[in-house]
Amino acid sequence: MMNITSDSFSNELQQFFMDFDHKVSFKKGDFLFQEGSTSTHLFFITSGAVQVGKVTPEGRELTLQLASSGDLVGEVMLFCGSTPHMLQAKAIEPCTAISIQKRVLENELTQYPALSMEYMKWMGLQIKRMQTKFRDLILNGKKGALYSTLIRMSNSFGVMKPNGILLNVTLTNQEIANLCGTSREVVNRMLAELRKNEVISMADGKIIIHKLSFLKEEIDCEECPVELCRIEINKKSHR
């Protein structure tokens, strides 16, 4: 499952999604879909926030994205029949979306080759992003999950300061833990160690990275292009 963000596609493709007229609303805590259910629709978010992720066998949440207005969530692989959802999507605040039947989307895209090509190019980019994220989570353990998350946050929300890179987004340690697929206690301990070693510091609830090179060296960073090494969260809910 992948998710589309408003800066990933043209105004024409965004308007193409907006032209579908089946609008739906969800209350906080409602599921747009759950893991294992049959995938028949995509959801183009128009307001609110949606947590997209997976529950691990140990019962921990792994958050892959906090989607907001302009994001498309669902099993985006087209022309391959109905498939089960690999992830779940839950509204973390009241939200509205445009529900798009996959078979209808397939029919529409076949009539607009340029938009179809753009959609396919975007889908390839999302697959690469997901592959790199799971690579970091699997190959380097809990440390790699946290360090790669901090690197991705620096690419997405980093602001250069005289003393380092300010991550201009406010997340709780539990939210960071969910992005890493681990426990809050583990994240607390690792962040404390990074602060002790002056790799990071905190300012007004936000992280400043002083030694980005240390994080990259510890996980043998492959210096992926920035468009792949990013993290998607709803910034408006975390300012």
Side-chain angles (χ1 to χ4, degrees), residues 59-91:
R60 297 195 183 101
E61 288 187 359
L62 171 59
T63 300
L64 295 175
Q65 184 192 15
L66 293 176
S68 57
S69 179
D71 292 350
L72 182 73
V73 299
E75 297 292 335
V76 300
M77 297 294 290
L78 301 179
F79 306 104
C80 58
S82 296
T83 57
H85 285 289
M86 298 177 64
L87 304 175
Q88 65 181 27
K90 180 173 66 174

Side-chain angles (χ1 to χ4, degrees), residues 1 10 38 44 59 87 113 181 200 211 226 233 236:
M1 172 182 164
S10 67
T38 302
F44 186 78
L87 304 175
I200 67 170
K211 300 177 182 178
V226 171
I233 62 176
K236 291 181 286 186

Side-chain angles (χ1 to χ4, degrees), residues 188 190-202:
N188 289 347
M190 290 193 291
L191 289 177
E193 183 177 350
L194 290 175
R195 288 197 298 271
K196 179 181 178 181
N197 294 328
E198 299 182 339
V199 177
I200 67 170
S201 64
M202 301 295 297

Side-chain angles (χ1 to χ4, degrees), residues 6-63:
S6 56
D7 63 356
S8 306
F9 56 95
S10 67
N11 291 335
E12 289 79 11
L13 188 54
Q14 186 172 7
Q15 186 59 52
F16 176 76
F17 292 127
M18 293 291 293
D19 286 341
F20 290 89
D21 58 3
H22 186 200
K23 298 180 180 179
V24 291
S25 300
F26 299 94
K27 297 179 293 185
K28 180 179 179 180
D30 285 350
F31 284 94
L32 282 69
F33 51 82
Q34 292 183 278
E35 184 177 354
S37 61
T38 302
S39 171
T40 57
H41 291 71
L42 301 176
F43 297 90
F44 186 78
I45 310 301
T46 53
S47 69
V50 175
Q51 180 187 50
V52 181
K54 189 178 186 71
V55 178
T56 69
E58 295 80 20
R60 297 195 183 101
E61 288 187 359
L62 171 59
T63 300

Side-chain angles (χ1 to χ4, degrees), residues 61-121:
E61 288 187 359
L62 171 59
T63 300
L64 295 175
Q65 184 192 15
L66 293 176
S68 57
S69 179
D71 292 350
L72 182 73
V73 299
E75 297 292 335
V76 300
M77 297 294 290
L78 301 179
F79 306 104
C80 58
S82 296
T83 57
H85 285 289
M86 298 177 64
L87 304 175
Q88 65 181 27
K90 180 173 66 174
I92 57 174
E93 60 184 52
C95 72
T96 58
I98 298 173
S99 176
I100 306 172
Q101 288 191 54
K102 291 178 66 174
R103 61 177 179 81
V104 175
L105 178 60
E106 291 168 351
N107 291 336
E108 289 292 321
L109 283 175
T110 58
Q111 300 179 43
Y112 300 96
L115 291 181
S116 180
M117 183 64 68
E118 183 179 346
Y119 184 91
M120 297 299 288
K121 287 180 178 179

Side-chain angles (χ1 to χ4, degrees), residues 172-238:
T172 67
N173 284 4
Q174 183 61 64
E175 289 171 327
I176 294 175
N178 290 348
L179 290 169
C180 299
T182 189
S183 68
R184 178 174 55 83
E185 291 76 16
V186 169
V187 166
N188 289 347
R189 184 170 64 251
M190 290 193 291
L191 289 177
E193 183 177 350
L194 290 175
R195 288 197 298 271
K196 179 181 178 181
N197 294 328
E198 299 182 339
V199 177
I200 67 170
S201 64
M202 301 295 297
D204 299 323
K206 298 178 180 179
I207 296 174
I208 300 177
I209 299 176
H210 303 293
K211 300 177 182 178
L212 183 64
S213 60
F214 172 84
L215 300 176
K216 291 184 175 183
E217 290 168 4
E218 285 293 298
I219 63 171
D220 296 321
C221 176
E222 298 179 4
E223 298 290 347
C224 297
V226 171
E227 60 265 24
L228 296 182
C229 188
R230 298 179 61 83
I231 199 163
E232 298 174 347
I233 62 176
N234 180 5
K235 289 179 66 176
K236 291 181 286 186
S237 296
H238 294 85

